[in-house]
Amino acid sequence: PLCVGLLEIVTEPDFSNEFECMAMLRDLVHLLEVIGVAHKEIGAGTIRVDANISVSHADGRSGDKVEVKNVGSINFVRRAISFEIKRQIKLLSSGKRVEPETRGFNANTGSTVSLRGKDSGKQDYRFMPEPDLPPLVLDLSNVSFSQSSHKTPSTATPSPSGPTPLSSSHCHVVRVSDVATRLPKLPHEKRMMLRDEYGIPLWDSFKVESREGAVEYFEDVVKHLDEKNLAPKAAFWTENNLFALLDKKNLTMEENPISATQLAALVNNVGSGTITNNTAKLIFKMLGDGEKRTVLQIVEEDVLQVISDPIVLRPLCEKLVQDERKNVKFLKTYKKNPRAVTTRLESLLVLQTDGRSDLSVARTMIDELLAAMATELAER
């Protein structure tokens, strides 16, 4: 029968609440997926979690530990830890003792239930040595740790003189430095690269990096940008508009219908002021639906250039403001919240021009026209 190796990862007690645990688990599952160790479907049984929870006493003494075993989803882990924290606080607050035990999580009730007690002494799990699996020894020579808090595993060996044998009849030696060279670029390295090289906010870098192939796609987009300072805009379009399109059509990055050059052209045209953001969204939808023309062809053939000429915009703004005169509550509403009135007229202008109006120009006109009309009506 096919056998699958079991990898057990044990953390230090570094977490203070269920949300920190969720964040760590999500990042860990993502990391294991990226390096090909496990699939991300934690609920399918590939990954299981044992959560150890203890609540400190008021005087700072650590409480007894309770272990919630074999939890099968990150959300269930959050709920289990949250319930245990409240349960243990309630016990300690009433003067009772938290019994060290193993508990299970009931997803239907959102509560944990006792499975068995834990002996105070060291438990004997009766592990049997497997003759076909020799001891694993890690060779940490030429390995540098990024944080001083990292501890050298007890199984590590100093670098021996000469080449280290990969295996022998007594043990199996693994050069950690050799393994590191075979790893792909890790998630945290990609996030830092997005932040440091392209000026992407860290939260946005998390979202871009979270989807397989998205960072490579984004870097291809950047190659076609007119200016590198447009990179954050390209990241925004990638993580919002593009991801939403792929989710709606149930596509992967490999099946992405919008090429990097097309997205770069959109960002370039918005950045140069050739088209508005609303027009870019319209063109983006066309491209997502299979439009074969280039962005430039669409803009020119469909006459989608931004309307920024005051001679063209002013009559449209005047008509909107004059229509507002018919509103008997205009003066009262305008005095109370002039920004709301301006915003509403801007929205009407956008509709009338199919999203092509340059609001930075139109907004000033609308503000001036509204203020003049309000003054005129107030003097009557």
Side-chain angles (χ1 to χ4, degrees):
L2 179 64
C3 296
V4 178
L6 172 66
L7 172 66
E8 181 167 343
I9 300 174
V10 182
T11 73
E12 296 283 352
D14 294 329
F15 311 103
S16 58
N17 58 59
E18 64 270 34
F19 301 106
E20 291 181 0
C21 293
M22 283 181 65
M24 184 279 295
L25 284 171
R26 284 182 176 143
D27 214 35
L28 175 61
V29 170
H30 180 51
L31 173 63
L32 295 177
E33 181 192 15
V34 167
I35 64 177
V37 171
H39 298 293
K40 64 181 178 180
E41 293 84 6
I42 181 173
T46 305
I47 301 174
R48 314 294 288 183
V49 176
D50 297 341
N52 292 277
I53 306 105
S54 64
V55 174
S56 298
H57 295 269
D59 59 7
R61 290 180 296 114
S62 297
D64 288 311
K65 179 180 66 177
V66 170
E67 183 178 22
V68 182
K69 294 282 291 184
N70 207 30
V71 185
S73 86
I74 293 177
N75 185 47
F76 287 173
V77 171
R78 176 190 63 80
R79 292 171 61 193
I81 294 174
S82 177
F83 177 85
E84 264 305 299
I85 292 174
K86 294 174 183 176
R87 185 184 74 87
Q88 293 184 27
I89 290 176
K90 185 177 180 180
L91 286 173
L92 294 176
S93 299
S94 62
K96 299 179 181 178
R97 178 173 179 263
V98 175
E99 295 293 336
E101 60 180 335
T102 299
R103 299 176 71 89
F105 177 67
N106 187 324
N108 294 324
T109 62
S111 61
T112 63
V113 294
S114 180
L115 298 178
R116 60 183 178 273
K118 286 184 178 290
D119 296 331
S120 58
K122 185 177 180 180
Q123 298 186 43
D124 181 9
Y125 288 96
R126 301 187 184 280
F127 288 132
M128 300 291 291
E130 167 55 57
D132 293 330
L133 295 176
L136 182 66
V137 178
L138 303 182
D139 175 9
L140 296 180
S141 58
N142 301 319
V143 175
S144 62
F145 293 101
S146 59
Q147 296 181 1
S148 59
S149 60
H150 281 149
K151 300 177 181 178
T152 302
S154 59
T155 54
T157 59
S159 177
S161 58
T164 302
L166 291 181
S167 63
S168 70
S169 59
H170 302 294
C171 65
H172 184 80
V173 180
V174 175
R175 288 185 191 270
V176 175
S177 58
D178 289 347
V179 174
T181 61
R182 298 197 298 270
L183 289 175
K185 184 175 287 188
L186 301 180
H188 73 278
E189 294 173 331
K190 290 184 178 181
R191 295 168 195 152
M192 295 303 101
M193 178 269 294
L194 291 172
R195 185 193 66 179
D196 298 339
E197 292 188 23
Y198 301 109
I200 311 303
L202 191 57
W203 173 245
D204 293 326
S205 73
F206 266 84
K207 291 194 283 185
V208 173
E209 187 279 324
S210 67
R211 188 166 303 218
E212 185 178 0
V215 172
E216 293 73 18
Y217 173 85
F218 166 77
E219 289 191 288
D220 199 10
V221 172
V222 172
K223 292 176 184 176
H224 298 88
L225 292 177
D226 293 338
E227 299 176 12
K228 191 175 180 179
N229 61 11
L230 291 174
K233 292 290 185 183
F236 181 87
W237 276 87
T238 300
E239 71 186 71
N240 290 282
N241 304 72
L242 180 62
F243 286 2
L245 171 69
L246 297 180
D247 290 341
K248 182 179 179 181
K249 295 180 177 290
N250 196 26
L251 300 175
T252 64
M253 286 299 301
E254 291 182 352
E255 301 166 320
N256 175 17
I258 299 180
S259 68
T261 54
Q262 288 173 320
L263 185 59
L266 270 184
V267 176
N268 286 333
N269 277 273
V270 174
S272 65
T274 303
I275 60 175
T276 66
N277 205 53
N278 287 321
T279 300
K281 290 178 182 178
L282 172 66
I283 297 175
F284 183 88
K285 184 179 184 306
M286 295 169 64
L287 296 173
D289 290 338
E291 174 63 63
K292 300 301 182 184
R293 291 179 293 171
T294 66
V295 171
L296 182 59
Q297 288 173 330
I298 296 172
V299 171
E300 292 180 346
E301 293 173 8
D302 296 0
V303 194
L304 297 178
Q305 294 89 343
V306 66
I307 302 174
S308 56
D309 188 345
I311 296 176
V312 178
L313 284 176
R314 191 166 190 86
L316 298 174
C317 295
E318 289 176 344
K319 176 67 168 57
L320 288 172
V321 172
Q322 286 303 315
D323 288 344
E324 192 68 18
R325 182 187 289 270
K326 301 173 185 177
N327 182 359
V328 295
K329 296 183 179 179
F330 160 74
L331 191 58
K332 181 178 179 181
T333 304
Y334 182 77
K335 287 182 177 179
K336 183 178 180 181
N337 192 348
R339 182 71 257 163
V341 177
T342 300
T343 300
R344 181 164 55 82
L345 295 187
E346 289 174 2
S347 299
L348 292 174
L349 181 63
V350 169
L351 289 174
Q352 288 184 9
T353 58
D354 294 325
R356 296 169 54 209
S357 52
D358 186 341
L359 291 182
S360 64
V361 177
R363 183 175 296 116
T364 302
M365 290 184 182
I366 293 174
D367 283 339
E368 292 174 352
L369 293 167
L370 284 174
M373 188 171 72
T375 301
E376 176 191 341
L377 292 176
E379 291 175 350
R380 288 185 178 180

